[in-house]
Amino acid sequence: MQPPAEHVHWLFATGLLLLGLCLLAEAVVGTEVWRRRAWRAYLWPGLAFALGVFMWPVMTFYTNSTIHMLAHGAWAEVLMLAGAVELALVRGKLHHPAWRLAMASAFLVSGAAFLVHEQNAWLFQRSAFLHHLLGWTLVLAAVFPLVRSVRPRSQTAAAGFALTFVVLAVFLYCDRDVAPVFGHISPLAGPPHR
Amino acid sequence: MNAELVSELEVPRHRTARARFVSALGPATALAGVIWAIVQPYRLTILHPGGYGFWWLAVEPPLLVIGVGLLFYFAIVPGLLEDLEERDAAAR
């Protein structure tokens, strides 16, 4: 009854898409309006924390090598940490804006984990391409949470931060896609399959 | 009829660009899911369900995208628009 690995990727993509839409709406209406209802204020940090929690069973049941296990474990830890810090900021338990650097470090650690645990080059096969793409996207997009921690009112940083999650969701949905660009590219990668 | 009520009814509802953008997010996401389903129909196993197990039939990416768009539109946007309009009215 365990879902196939690609379904887990698609479910995480769905969570990230919802997270991205919430952040985009917050960027447009402003934090003050977004937080007028308590449940809404806790929504996206709670979602980020929950995604971190759900990453643990992924680490336990879906990793077939030590480096995959370490990468998924790192994602679980940094997602939970970043979500928990944002929850504490909303709740008022933490005040200093520098705490927002937790999200920037989560992006950097996640991106590094993607790049380190992918052993093949970009065009070796579909999953290698996506791992490199996801890794570099996260590393480069870390600038948005970084700017957000220095300039919390920056609209550009907030919009970029939100759109990063939408883009990550699109990449995750591409897992096991049969479009040629995501198919097996190297003959060493074996016969193409869905 | 109460004249005051009539005048209230006749006031056109003016929505700001922000409100329109937030209102469009959910439908735009759902539309993206519909277009995706048309472009890659093989990703919808519900169209050819024979031989697929539970997870292949339960988790279908284009339907998930449509679901997220509808969830956002119906669960999050209405309250958000109310609060946005309240804030704008207070600022006037």
Side-chain angles (χ1 to χ4, degrees), chain A residues 77-95:
Chain A
E77 285 172 359
V78 293
L79 257 173
M80 283 179 67
L81 175 72
V85 165
E86 294 290 339
L87 280 170
L89 283 165
V90 170
R91 179 73 181 162
K93 299 279 186 190
L94 297 174
H95 300 282

Side-chain angles (χ1 to χ4, degrees), chain A residues 1-4 6-7 10 14 21 24-25 28-29 32-34 36-37 40 43 173 175 177-178 194, chain B residues 18 21-22 25 29 36 40 42-43 54-56 59 61 64-65 68 72 75-76 79-80 82-83 86-87:
Chain A
M1 210 46 205
Q2 200 170 300
E6 54 266 45
H7 291 70
W10 297 337
T14 305
L21 288 182
L24 200 53
V28 171
V29 301
E32 184 253 320
V33 173
W34 180 260
R36 280 197 173 194
R37 301 189 190 199
R40 218 165 44 213
L43 185 62
Y173 276 129
D175 190 44
D177 194 344
V178 293
R194 284 181 80 169
Chain B
R18 284 170 191 236
F21 184 86
V22 170
L25 275 178
T29 306
W36 186 14
Q40 294 188 327
Y42 56 81
R43 295 198 75 160
F54 170 77
W55 289 107
W56 279 100
V59 181
L64 292 176
V65 172
V68 167
F72 184 79
I76 296 172
L80 193 58
E82 267 178 39
D83 292 343
E86 258 178 42
R87 199 273 310 264

Side-chain angles (χ1 to χ4, degrees), chain A residues 44-125:
Chain A
W44 80 254
L47 197 53
F49 186 82
L51 287 171
V53 172
F54 283 120
M55 193 61 87
W56 288 111
V58 175
M59 186 206 82
T60 309
F61 297 114
Y62 288 91
T63 51
N64 48 13
S65 69
T66 307
I67 201 157
H68 272 81
M69 191 183 75
L70 289 173
H72 284 83
W75 291 324
E77 285 172 359
V78 293
L79 257 173
M80 283 179 67
L81 175 72
V85 165
E86 294 290 339
L87 280 170
L89 283 165
V90 170
R91 179 73 181 162
K93 299 279 186 190
L94 297 174
H95 300 282
H96 201 282
W99 278 105
R100 290 189 187 278
L101 287 172
M103 190 57 85
S105 60
F107 271 47
L108 282 174
V109 170
S110 299
F114 266 114
L115 296 173
V116 168
H117 98 281
E118 178 51 62
Q119 305 289 297
N120 298 305
W122 276 79
L123 298 181
F124 181 71
Q125 64 184 142

Side-chain angles (χ1 to χ4, degrees), chain B residues 65-90:
Chain B
V65 172
I66 294 169
V68 167
L70 295 178
L71 177 72
F72 184 79
Y73 184 72
F74 288 109
I76 296 172
V77 169
L80 193 58
L81 288 180
E82 267 178 39
D83 292 343
L84 186 61
E85 281 167 11
E86 258 178 42
R87 199 273 310 264
D88 289 345

Side-chain angles (χ1 to χ4, degrees), chain B residues 37-60:
Chain B
I38 293 167
V39 172
Q40 294 188 327
Y42 56 81
R43 295 198 75 160
L44 282 179
T45 46
I46 203 163
L47 297 178
H48 44 98
Y52 287 109
F54 170 77
W55 289 107
W56 279 100
L57 294 170
V59 181
E60 306 192 29

Side-chain angles (χ1 to χ4, degrees), chain A residues 140-162:
Chain A
L140 295 176
V143 72
F144 295 122
L146 188 67
V147 172
R148 207 169 143 260
S149 61
V150 182
R151 293 174 176 243
R153 288 176 185 274
S154 165
Q155 290 267 319
T156 310
F161 183 55

